[in-house]
Amino acid sequence: MAAELAEVELTVAGVRRSFHVRAAGREGAPIVLVLHGNQSGMGQLPAEPLMYQWTSFARHADEWGITVVYPAGWEGCWADGRGVTEADAAGIDDVAFLNAVIDWCAVQFGADGDRAVVTGISNGAFMAHRMAVESGDRVAVFAAVAGGLPEALADVRPEYAVSGVLMNGDVDPVVPITGGFSRHRGQDGEMRGATRGLAESARHWREIDGCGEIGAAVTTEGSRRVLAEGGVGGTAVLEWTVFGGGHTWPGTPVPEQFAGTPASAVSLEFDAAEEIWRFAEPLLIAAEARKL
């Protein structure tokens, strides 16, 4: 398959699904899945995946030696476990779909099927948490931007330790850094879809992974990050607060109608894709070593 972006279709659990892939130039390249946020009701979207446009993974694919995959959510959204999206309501099995995508790429490109990276923003970030919880045999590293751990997954005990980057802006009006509920209310107006905040989500993953002592915080003008290492199999968890950051992907200005926040709430201090890969590359650990 050529290095250009190509669309692939799969049938999973009787549902026809699709994803775009930007293949690496070498066999066995690590697999990186990039998950979009909730696009339901956003009207006509461009032919190319939004996350292909908004993140720099594809631009660096040859340099980093990675195969980048852009799966498409069902009706523009993911069944991330919160129980609030159209995909959740329709009973879509997105864990099975993303597992199938990873397996397909492993066979097609000769990659290690137990060392994938799954990253996403908002609804895609919640889905990245779910993949880390339920598919640690395939996912070695996850990165959740603007999306904490869904409360519904908090009592699910993963079978594998998974390294994680958890990143949230401290002025995010859609997914507050302190956690909260979905904007999508129930039929009687009840609050639904609770998620944990950044600090609590990071603490949860440190405990799951069995990380050792937390390192000293590294603070810059625009952010604060705290790294915990020494987890099972060498796993690690990075907690990253973006000062003044809204519901956005750091490093990439996006239209306000998509971001939900003014352009000024987009941090340009760093490129989230670059930082995620820098964190993930040394942590692509085989599942056997991460078994809990």
Side-chain angles (χ1 to χ4, degrees):
M1 182 176 292
E4 289 78 13
L5 198 66
E7 186 172 14
V8 179
E9 292 189 345
L10 294 175
T11 297
V12 180
V15 181
R16 197 68 175 166
R17 306 295 298 272
S18 67
F19 60 94
H20 284 79
V21 58
R22 200 286 190 187
R26 65 177 180 82
E27 186 176 1
I31 304 163
V32 179
L33 274 62
V34 187
L35 308 183
H36 58 73
N38 194 333
Q39 299 174 351
S40 299
M42 291 178 64
Q44 185 65 39
L45 295 171
E48 293 179 340
L50 288 179
M51 296 303 282
Y52 173 76
Q53 300 178 18
W54 292 354
T55 70
S56 63
F57 287 107
R59 293 195 296 276
H60 291 295
D62 290 333
E63 173 191 351
W64 296 344
I66 59 175
T67 289
V68 191
V69 188
Y70 305 91
W74 186 86
E75 298 294 333
C77 62
W78 302 105
D80 58 27
R82 293 175 300 150
V84 300
T85 67
E86 293 180 14
D88 269 319
I92 299 298
D93 190 343
D94 274 324
V95 172
F97 168 51
L98 296 179
N99 283 344
V101 171
I102 293 170
D103 294 346
W104 184 93
C105 290
V107 171
Q108 185 76 14
F109 305 122
D112 293 319
D114 63 346
R115 307 185 199 190
V117 178
V118 177
T119 181
I121 185 170
S122 193
N123 182 202
F126 301 133
M127 191 66 215
H129 277 283
R130 185 171 191 179
M131 286 296 291
V133 169
E134 299 184 21
S135 293
D137 57 334
R138 292 175 173 85
V139 179
V141 180
F142 81 99
V145 177
L149 177 76
E151 191 64 44
L153 301 177
D155 291 331
V156 179
R157 305 309 295 177
E159 297 181 9
Y160 298 86
V162 178
S163 295
V165 180
L166 292 82
M167 189 180 297
N168 221 114
D170 63 2
V171 296
D172 187 335
V174 180
V175 181
I177 196 169
T178 53
F181 293 87
S182 168
R183 294 174 295 171
H184 303 285
R185 302 290 186 92
Q187 292 184 345
D188 298 322
E190 68 272 18
M191 304 291 282
R192 302 186 302 156
T195 56
R196 296 189 173 187
L198 174 64
E200 192 176 5
S201 297
R203 185 182 309 114
H204 179 88
W205 279 106
R206 290 194 297 263
E207 292 174 355
I208 290 292
D209 291 350
C211 291
E213 185 176 349
I214 301 173
V218 177
T219 304
T220 66
E221 183 177 348
S223 67
R224 176 180 182 269
R225 60 187 186 274
V226 179
L227 177 66
E229 299 178 286
V232 174
T235 51
V237 176
L238 179 59
E239 175 186 344
W240 201 318
T241 302
V242 182
F243 301 148
H247 198 62
T248 56
W249 182 275
T252 304
V254 297
E256 185 173 338
Q257 68 266 30
F258 292 118
T261 47
S264 60
V266 180
S267 172
L268 299 179
E269 181 185 56
F270 61 93
D271 181 329
E274 293 179 359
E275 296 298 335
I276 288 167
W277 179 246
R278 182 176 292 114
F279 172 83
E281 185 176 17
L283 296 170
L284 301 180
I285 303 162
E288 183 179 356
R290 298 182 285 103
K291 181 73 175 175
L292 294 173

